[in-house]
Amino acid sequence: MTYLIKAIEGTVVMSMELESMFTYFMNNKVPLLWEKVGYLSLKPLNTWVNDLILRVEFIANWLYNGNPKSYWLPAFFFP
């Protein structure tokens, strides 16, 4: 992401991957590079990021506070 910011500023060369990521951001879509390592979702980028934050918070809460009383099943897979 920092390379994308630098490429937009013109301090580094814009590669094809960075240009593709920028296009996906402008269209509110999850970049292909993120889809490869992230979870499947049909949500737009802003909702996908919010959902990612909720998933990380759920797992972190589980890690630091022990087993939860109930489990948020969509945090584990694509429903």
Side-chain angles (χ1 to χ4, degrees), residues 9-60:
E9 293 172 345
T11 57
V12 297
V13 176
M14 177 81 77
S15 67
M16 293 297 284
E17 292 87 8
L18 291 176
E19 185 175 352
S20 173
M21 185 179 293
F22 179 72
T23 302
Y24 274 82
F25 283 165
M26 295 303 293
N27 293 321
N28 197 27
K29 294 183 179 180
V30 179
L32 294 176
L33 293 172
W34 293 9
E35 282 183 352
K36 289 180 184 178
V37 296
Y39 59 93
L40 295 175
S41 179
L42 300 175
K43 298 178 180 182
L45 179 63
N46 59 341
T47 310
W48 186 87
V49 170
N50 291 337
D51 191 49
L52 175 65
I53 292 168
L54 290 174
R55 288 170 184 242
V56 170
E57 287 174 349
F58 172 75
I59 299 295

Side-chain angles (χ1 to χ4, degrees), residues 6 36 61:
K6 289 180 180 182
K36 289 180 184 178
N61 187 36

